[in-house]
Amino acid sequence: MIKEKSIEGLSSFGVVDEASTPILYHYCSVDTFLAIIQNKCLRLSDINTMNDFHEMHWAYNKFIAAANADLANYDRKFLDEIDTVLSGLQLSSLPLIGCFSRDGDVLSQWRAYADDGAGVALGLDTSLLGRLAVRFGQVVYDETEQLEYFRKFLSFAQAIWKATDSKPELRGEFKEFLFILAFDSCLMKNPAFSEEKEVRLIRATIVEMLKDGRWSLRDSEGSSEDTRSNEKQQIRYRARKGGIVAYIDLPLDGLGPRLVKEVVLGPRSLNNGIEVSMALASQGFEGFEVRHSTATYR
């Protein structure tokens, strides 16, 4: 699995600035908080079950808009092949994602993701999360930036595509290039969600149709500094609002005892902070702080 790969002129897209964002926050219930610190795993779930029902379609529509804006510059066969490969990727790969925010005290986040304010915002070390075997990126909400990404991408991709005529060995690189596009598309969202200041961990899983007509989903090995998250993980399923959601529990235990930097208690939390501190210490975490939300919500 590709963790991250620079694209000429596009390498800064979705990059998380660790200097300005040293902590990333995962809003969750107290039950989920305890599951994360006790199991030392973070759950990554099917992107199609996120709160934005337009996930991926938003990015695809921006891709079409970018292609139409410069239609005269592109060979029709090139655009058709791009569309065919991208459609195939959607059938052969399923992104599983974990969601974080750059802000640990936002009322709408408390209400939507942290048990209506009774939960916590678990603040993890950004630099350590970046070691995991995932695509690690900041969501881009600006539509102009999204369009510019695709315009640059198409220009560069066509250059590779044309070169494959004389260098067939570049076909693999061309498809790899499109695979990166599929990852980056997961980092584009409707600007209506911009208040969330979201950062995502994205793991690609492989969709297969077996010989007897059954469908299968499996994880792939990673390539990163963290050997534990490189390992193939078991795909599990859970029920959500009558549907079935695929997920993996990605190991965090290779990131060390200082992964947790801060825990923010929700505005309706029943905890005074001592219990949270004891729970973290019992699991070997150290060097963290606990504070209360400033939101006056009940």
Side-chain angles (χ1 to χ4, degrees), residues 37 40 256-259 277-288:
I37 66 168
K40 295 185 173 61
R258 291 188 172 269
L259 173 62
S277 181
M278 290 190 296
L280 285 166
S282 73
Q283 299 304 312
F285 292 102
E286 56 188 48
F288 55 83

Side-chain angles (χ1 to χ4, degrees), residues 3 25 37 53 61 114-115 129 134 143-144 148-149 158 164 176 180 205 213 231 234 245 250 286:
K3 179 184 176 185
Y25 297 90
I37 66 168
F53 65 82
N61 289 340
D115 196 16
L129 287 175
V134 295
E143 294 183 68
T144 301
E148 185 62 20
Y149 171 90
Q158 182 167 248
T164 61
E176 180 86 351
I180 296 167
T205 56
E231 299 169 2
Q234 181 181 353
V245 180
L250 191 69
E286 56 188 48

Side-chain angles (χ1 to χ4, degrees), residues 100-148:
F100 290 80
S101 175
R102 290 177 284 120
D103 192 331
D105 196 4
V106 179
L107 182 56
S108 61
Q109 300 271 72
W110 287 122
R111 297 178 67 180
Y113 306 117
D115 196 16
D116 196 24
V120 305
L122 175 60
L124 304 183
D125 188 301
T126 303
S127 63
L128 293 177
L129 287 175
R131 298 179 183 178
L132 293 170
V134 295
R135 171 69 164 95
F136 180 52
Q138 182 171 305
V139 172
V140 174
Y141 302 98
D142 186 276
E143 294 183 68
T144 301
E145 189 175 349
Q146 294 169 357
L147 280 170
E148 185 62 20

Side-chain angles (χ1 to χ4, degrees), residues 46-61 97 113 185 188-190 192-193 196 198 200 240-241:
D46 181 349
I47 192 172
N48 296 307
T49 62
M50 298 297 115
N51 62 341
D52 180 3
F53 65 82
H54 212 207
E55 287 279 5
M56 301 301 288
H57 300 292
W58 178 271
Y60 183 74
N61 289 340
I97 69 171
Y113 306 117
S185 294
M188 299 182 192
K189 288 189 70 173
N190 186 323
F193 290 89
E196 295 184 349
E198 188 177 354
R200 289 181 160 180
R240 182 176 182 268
K241 297 180 179 179

Side-chain angles (χ1 to χ4, degrees), residues 190-254:
N190 186 323
F193 290 89
S194 61
E195 185 183 48
E196 295 184 349
K197 300 178 181 178
E198 188 177 354
V199 172
R200 289 181 160 180
L201 307 185
I202 308 166
R203 178 96 159 200
T205 56
I206 300 168
V207 180
E208 294 179 311
M209 183 172 172
L210 305 179
K211 291 181 179 179
D212 60 3
R214 291 178 297 127
W215 288 93
S216 172
L217 183 65
R218 61 182 174 85
D219 191 25
S220 56
E221 291 180 334
S223 177
S224 74
E225 296 178 46
D226 178 56
T227 55
R228 283 286 287 118
S229 63
N230 282 337
E231 299 169 2
K232 288 184 180 180
Q233 305 301 318
Q234 181 181 353
I235 305 290
R236 294 183 171 88
Y237 297 87
R238 61 186 175 89
R240 182 176 182 268
K241 297 180 179 179
I244 296 176
V245 180
Y247 71 90
I248 62 171
D249 284 332
L250 191 69
L252 299 174
D253 50 339

Side-chain angles (χ1 to χ4, degrees), residues 60-87:
Y60 183 74
N61 289 340
K62 295 302 175 189
F63 164 75
I64 295 299
N68 287 334
D70 300 319
L71 197 58
N73 298 331
Y74 299 117
D75 188 298
R76 182 56 186 263
K77 290 183 178 179
F78 162 70
L79 292 177
D80 286 345
E81 183 164 350
I82 287 270
D83 200 41
T84 298
V85 173
L86 288 179
S87 298

